[in-house]
Amino acid sequence: MSTRLLTGKMFKKMIQLAQKHLLNNKEKINDLNVFPVPDGDTGTNMSLTMTSGLKEVNQINSNSVSEIAAAFSKGLLMGARGNSGVILSQIFRGFNKGLEGKEEVDTSQLALAFSEGVTMAYQAVTNPVEGTILTVVKDAAKLANQFEDTTDVVKLMEAVTKEARRSLDYTPELLPVLKEVGVVDSGGKGLLVIYEGFLAALNGESIEEIIDESNHFETKIKNEHEQSVQSFIDVGSIEHGYCTEFMVDLNDAKLKKHHFNEQSYRKELDEYGDSLLVAADEGVVKVHIHTEKPGEVMALSQKFGDLMNIDIENMRKQYEEIMSADEAKRKKHSPVNIAKIVVSSGAGINSMFESIGADYIIQGGQTMNPSTQDILNAIEKVNAKEVYIFPNNKNIILSANQAAEMSEINIHVVPTKTIPEGIASLFVFDEANDSNANLEGMKEAIEDVKTGLITYAVRDTEVNELKIKKDDFIGLNDHSIAVTHTNKIETAKKLLNDLIDEDDEILTIFYGEDMTEEEKKEIVTYIEATFEDIESEFHEGNQPVYSFIIMVE
């Protein structure tokens, strides 16, 4: 198949297939992340960003390449999540610039669009690093502009895709950490997958979306919630008030006493409420139910195994909060002078931020990177003349910067990369000072705090001369993996020894949602016995992903 001109209809098909191909490959891209930690993975962020772009494209009825490119760029910009999503949005922002006013596009115009994408992507990053998605997009665009042997758009895209693959394979030679771990760059892989989708469309091929059963289960839950919420006339109409979700890790010893049959189990649970969903897979059972008796539901389930990932929400309280929020939206109020927006996750940590001056919490962090649109929505809600944003995650800073650029009010993005950096910064904030004084003070606070994190490994790897097995616990000293152990508390002890030195005075620990009382007591006892000269505080952070967030000052 060959074509001299790229039409809008074909360009739309290219975007549709690229989105499907990226969605199908997102877990493979996630697995390329250098650190084996559960985080806002590259594949997930790029896929969500791409889906937002496609959604905007599907809303316009046009066969103009430039109009489709503009819609695609807008959707990507608003839906951008994580550093990879922001860079992707900037690549196609430049791509859109190169296609302005074009109803149809030939090879030279398409090559120019690729180059414009490179320029915009590099401008978006303060310190561009080679061996990343930036290198892949640059090499592919350079080849496109040197490929003068054809006027065939398909052959140009073939050459671009081939060069992107070659560039991706070479990324470990440019970035030593990739070579050490034995992977190529994840963002570059995501871009290659998009180009492969483009090429498939040009060749008249099709790509079917692969259903992710875990996401399918989550979608079912979302649909159940939407149907339930729509049926509530008032709080009194909620018959089963507790939205209960958990997982059962089937246990061989318990199964000998209580045989598990999915159909019988579902029938038993059905008597306790409605909106029931049960999915069994490889020794784990996922459950969602609206019930008045969550305790009895879980007690019944414990006959078959151990409960995990328990989440119980009071829907009556949620309903009242939604109604109160809707009422507040209807009431006009004057803008405030200054507002502080914080990205955070975990009830305890959220409360800590609110107690030291946060005006608005965006729920997010590791595994939940908010989009540019999420941040813009928060900016609108605080209704302030001047806004400070605390991302508290290195993978959210670019999204915050992009939101600041798109907002019409005065925005300051405080470059906090961890929760402790956010707490330290917000603690020294003084509304009596001007922005320059506050930003300088917060910069010093960031430099004076150390962060320790305890989480678990999602795969086997070897990094920083540490051999790490899947499900081992790992300790991060700021942003580097410093220690590892099969036991959570032993990992925490090793990390504390690595973090704390004789000049440190204050230690604050936030417990995650997975901590037991025995584990808390053990770590408190160790700290009191080992670090006698340091003042220590302990808080229920309730954060996901991290068993401990450690703040050292």
Side-chain angles (χ1 to χ4, degrees), residues 277-298:
L277 294 170
V278 177
D281 181 35
E282 296 183 358
V284 175
V285 184
K286 299 178 183 178
V287 178
H288 168 276
I289 186 172
H290 294 174
T291 180
E292 278 295 286
K293 301 176 180 179
E296 292 184 22
V297 169
M298 290 188 290

Side-chain angles (χ1 to χ4, degrees), residues 126-262:
T126 305
N127 298 304
V129 176
E130 298 302 330
T132 64
I133 185 175
L134 295 174
T135 301
V136 177
V137 72
K138 178 181 66 177
D139 288 348
K142 183 178 179 181
L143 185 282
N145 282 274
Q146 294 175 343
F147 196 75
E148 300 174 349
D149 296 339
T150 183
T151 57
D152 186 344
V153 171
V154 180
K155 288 191 179 299
L156 177 67
M157 197 67 229
E158 285 176 350
V160 165
T161 304
K162 182 178 180 181
E163 177 63 11
R165 187 176 295 111
R166 183 210 63 78
S167 179
L168 176 67
D169 290 341
Y170 193 69
T171 53
E173 303 303 321
L174 299 175
L175 205 54
V177 67
L178 296 176
K179 195 166 189 176
E180 179 185 0
V181 179
V183 296
V184 295
D185 178 66
S186 56
K189 174 65 174 178
L191 183 65
L192 172 61
V193 166
I194 290 170
Y195 287 173
E196 288 174 343
F198 284 175
L199 181 59
L202 287 170
N203 281 324
E205 300 170 10
S206 63
I207 295 174
E208 297 301 320
E209 182 178 333
I210 299 172
I211 299 294
D212 182 335
E213 287 301 326
S214 61
N215 288 340
H216 190 51
F217 188 79
E218 297 303 320
T219 301
K220 284 183 177 180
I221 290 175
K222 182 180 178 182
N223 290 339
E224 286 287 343
H225 285 185
E226 288 176 352
Q227 292 169 12
S228 297
V229 169
Q230 290 168 1
S231 68
F232 295 158
I233 300 172
D234 55 46
V235 70
S237 69
I238 302 177
E239 183 180 357
H240 302 291
Y242 295 93
C243 174
T244 305
E245 294 180 40
F246 57 89
M247 297 170 67
V248 186
D249 186 10
L250 298 178
N251 182 296
D252 289 340
K254 291 185 177 182
L255 292 177
K256 289 179 180 178
K257 297 180 181 179
H258 305 281
H259 173 68
F260 177 78
N261 177 276
E262 184 177 345

Side-chain angles (χ1 to χ4, degrees), residues 35 37 39 366 392-395 415-422 424 445-455 464 474-483 494-496 498-501 504 546 548-553:
F35 288 151
V37 299
D39 60 12
Q366 289 298 88
N392 300 331
N393 187 296
K394 65 179 182 179
N395 212 31
T416 52
K417 298 178 180 178
T418 66
I419 292 295
E421 288 182 3
I446 291 171
E447 292 172 351
D448 289 342
V449 69
K450 292 185 285 188
T451 298
L453 304 169
I454 301 293
T455 186
N464 296 338
I474 49 181
L476 287 80
N477 183 336
D478 282 321
H479 304 290
S480 298
I481 297 178
V483 299
K494 291 172 69 175
L495 182 60
L496 286 165
D498 190 72
L499 273 172
I500 298 172
D501 59 42
D504 296 320
Y546 296 121
F548 295 106
I549 295 178
I550 302 168
M551 179 175 179
V552 180
E553 302 170 270

Side-chain angles (χ1 to χ4, degrees), residues 525-546:
T525 301
Y526 178 78
I527 289 169
E528 290 176 348
T530 309
F531 307 104
E532 298 178 356
D533 297 329
I534 201 164
E535 180 183 337
S536 56
E537 295 182 9
F538 306 92
H539 299 276
E540 294 282 356
N542 313 111
Q543 70 274 4
V545 182
Y546 296 121

Side-chain angles (χ1 to χ4, degrees), residues 251-367:
N251 182 296
D252 289 340
K254 291 185 177 182
L255 292 177
K256 289 179 180 178
K257 297 180 181 179
H258 305 281
H259 173 68
F260 177 78
N261 177 276
E262 184 177 345
Q263 188 173 354
S264 300
Y265 176 60
R266 184 181 287 106
K267 188 175 180 181
E268 280 189 273
L269 291 183
D270 196 43
E271 298 179 6
Y272 285 89
D274 57 24
S275 298
L276 174 65
L277 294 170
V278 177
D281 181 35
E282 296 183 358
V284 175
V285 184
K286 299 178 183 178
V287 178
H288 168 276
I289 186 172
H290 294 174
T291 180
E292 278 295 286
K293 301 176 180 179
E296 292 184 22
V297 169
M298 290 188 290
L300 183 155
S301 304
Q302 276 185 300
K303 294 188 302 182
F304 307 110
D306 301 319
L307 302 187
M308 308 183 298
N309 300 351
I310 300 170
D311 186 16
I312 302 173
E313 300 287 349
N314 185 327
M315 293 193 295
R316 295 186 181 91
K317 184 177 180 181
Q318 286 181 331
Y319 179 87
E320 291 172 347
E321 289 173 350
I322 290 170
M323 293 300 102
S324 298
D326 287 346
E327 180 64 25
K329 286 180 184 177
R330 288 191 286 269
K331 294 180 179 178
K332 298 289 184 181
H333 62 277
S334 301
V336 297
N337 289 324
I338 295 175
K340 286 90 69 185
I341 296 173
V342 169
V343 181
S344 172
S345 179
I349 290 178
N350 292 348
S351 295
M352 170 64 77
F353 275 119
E354 288 169 348
S355 72
I356 59 176
D359 298 292
Y360 190 91
I361 304 287
I362 300 175
Q363 294 295 327
Q366 289 298 88
T367 75

Side-chain angles (χ1 to χ4, degrees), residues 1-56:
M1 183 175 182
S2 65
T3 180
R4 292 177 62 86
L5 292 175
L6 175 65
T7 65
K9 182 179 179 180
M10 180 54 69
F11 186 39
K12 183 179 285 190
K13 185 67 174 177
M14 289 165 64
I15 294 169
Q16 290 169 342
L17 260 65
Q19 185 269 346
K20 283 185 180 179
H21 196 38
L22 188 58
L23 190 64
N24 289 345
N25 285 275
K26 71 175 183 178
E27 291 305 328
K28 292 179 181 177
I29 298 168
N30 286 342
D31 289 342
L32 295 174
N33 281 1
V34 172
F35 288 151
V37 299
D39 60 12
D41 285 319
T42 302
T44 300
N45 283 335
M46 293 184 79
S47 177
L48 289 169
T49 302
M50 193 73 178
T51 299
S52 178
L54 176 60
K55 181 179 179 181
E56 196 71 28

